[in-house]
Amino acid sequence: MKRMEGKVALVTGAAQGLGQAQAELLAAEGASVVVADLNAAQARRIAEGIRAAGGRAVGIELDVSSAEAWPAAIDQAISAYGGLHALINNAGIDLRGTVEDISLQQFHAVLDVNLLGTFLGTKYAIAHMKGHGGGSIVNIASTTAIVGAPVTTAYGASKAGVVNLSKTAALHCAQAGYGIRVNAVLPGPVATSMVMGTPENPAPPEVLAWIRSAVPLGRLAEPKEIAYAVLYLASAESSFVTGSALVIDGGQTAQ
C-alpha cells in the first residue's frame, strides 16, 4: 500500500516550487490532493498534471490570509474527496529588508501570508479533523526561524511564529485528545524561485555561490527533498511525532 493511500491532503501555495513538489509526491503516494493557490489557473494546471500521471487532484483558488476563504476550501476538499486528513500550510512570501528599511506595509504583507495564513489553516483544519478521526497538519517554516540574517526581518519573524504556533497547536490537540498531530518543517536554502530568482530576474551567481558555500553539503536542497519530510509527517509513519520542528538544511545550522 502507498504511504498516503485513502487519505485526502490539502496543500497551500501548491502552484509552484515546494508546494508543487509536495502535492505531486503526496499524490504519487496515494493521496487525493487539493492543490490550493492564489493563482487558481496554475493550481488547476498542476492538478491536471497529477491526474495525467495517474493521481487524484483538484486545483482550487485560496487566499490563505482570508478567514472567509478557508472554510470554503476545506468544504471543497470534503466535497471532492469526502474528508481532510492532512493539511500542508506551505504558502509563503518573502520581502527582504532590514528592520530599518522594510516598510510597515511590507512587514504586514509577509506576516499575513506566512503566519496569519498558517494560523487560519491550522484553526479551520482542527475544527474539521477533531470530529472526523484526527489528522496531520504540517507547517512549512524555515531555518530563518532560528538563525537571524539582517534582511530577513519579516520572513524570519513570520517563520519563528510558525514554529511556535505549531508547538502550541500540537500541545492543545494532544491534551484535548483530538488525534491531530501538528509539526513544522524548517528548510534551509532550496532551489526554488525564492532563492534562485526567475528567468527574468535571476539571483546573482556570486550570491548563489555564497549560499552554497554556507551549506556543509555544498549545495541547495531540491524541492522533493523537502517534500519527503512532509510526506513522513503527513503519513501514519510519524504517528508518535507532534510538536516537532524538523530542520532540513544540509547541516547549515549545525555549525
Side-chain angles (χ1 to χ4, degrees):
M1 180 178 290
K2 295 182 178 180
R3 298 164 73 181
M4 290 293 290
E5 195 71 45
K7 303 298 183 182
V8 180
L10 190 158
V11 185
T12 71
Q16 63 177 344
L18 288 180
Q20 178 181 347
Q22 293 158 17
E24 291 173 346
L25 181 60
L26 290 167
E29 288 293 334
S32 300
V33 179
V34 179
V35 180
D37 201 281
L38 192 60
N39 185 339
Q42 181 62 12
R44 287 192 288 269
R45 282 193 286 271
I46 299 302
E48 288 170 5
I50 290 172
R51 293 195 299 271
R56 296 181 297 276
V58 60
I60 68 169
E61 180 178 359
L62 175 60
D63 176 359
V64 297
S65 67
S66 168
E68 293 73 26
W70 268 105
I74 291 175
D75 284 347
Q76 285 177 279
I78 297 167
S79 175
Y81 298 118
L84 180 65
H85 306 98
L87 169 66
I88 320 302
N89 282 310
N90 169 80
I93 63 171
D94 182 14
L95 299 175
R96 296 280 170 124
T98 69
V99 68
E100 289 190 285
D101 298 335
I102 197 165
S103 70
L104 179 60
Q105 182 181 15
Q106 290 173 317
F107 193 85
H108 270 300
V110 173
L111 264 67
D112 282 351
V113 174
N114 298 2
L115 183 54
L116 177 62
T118 298
F119 162 74
L120 291 171
T122 300
K123 182 178 182 69
Y124 286 106
I126 289 171
H128 169 75
M129 290 176 177
K130 70 180 183 181
H132 295 85
S136 175
I137 299 172
V138 184
N139 297 326
I140 306 302
S142 164
T143 54
T144 61
I146 55 177
V147 178
V151 297
T152 59
T153 306
Y155 189 74
S158 70
K159 294 302 187 178
V162 167
V163 172
N164 195 265
L165 172 66
S166 302
K167 291 177 179 291
T168 58
L171 292 174
H172 166 68
C173 290
Q175 291 172 2
Y178 289 159
I180 301 171
R181 298 179 296 104
V182 187
N183 293 285
V185 172
L186 283 64
V190 186
T192 66
S193 59
M194 190 175 285
V195 174
M196 305 295 290
T198 63
E200 300 78 20
N201 187 28
E206 62 272 18
V207 171
L208 293 177
W210 176 82
I211 293 173
R212 293 188 185 98
S213 71
V215 179
L217 289 185
R219 63 177 178 84
L220 278 64
E222 293 298 325
K224 196 168 186 178
E225 292 177 296
I226 310 303
Y228 273 113
V230 170
L231 171 62
Y232 166 69
L233 291 172
S235 75
E237 295 172 2
S238 58
S239 57
F240 199 59
V241 181
T242 196
S244 72
L246 178 56
V247 175
I248 308 173
D249 67 350
Q252 191 172 24
T253 58
Q255 300 179 96

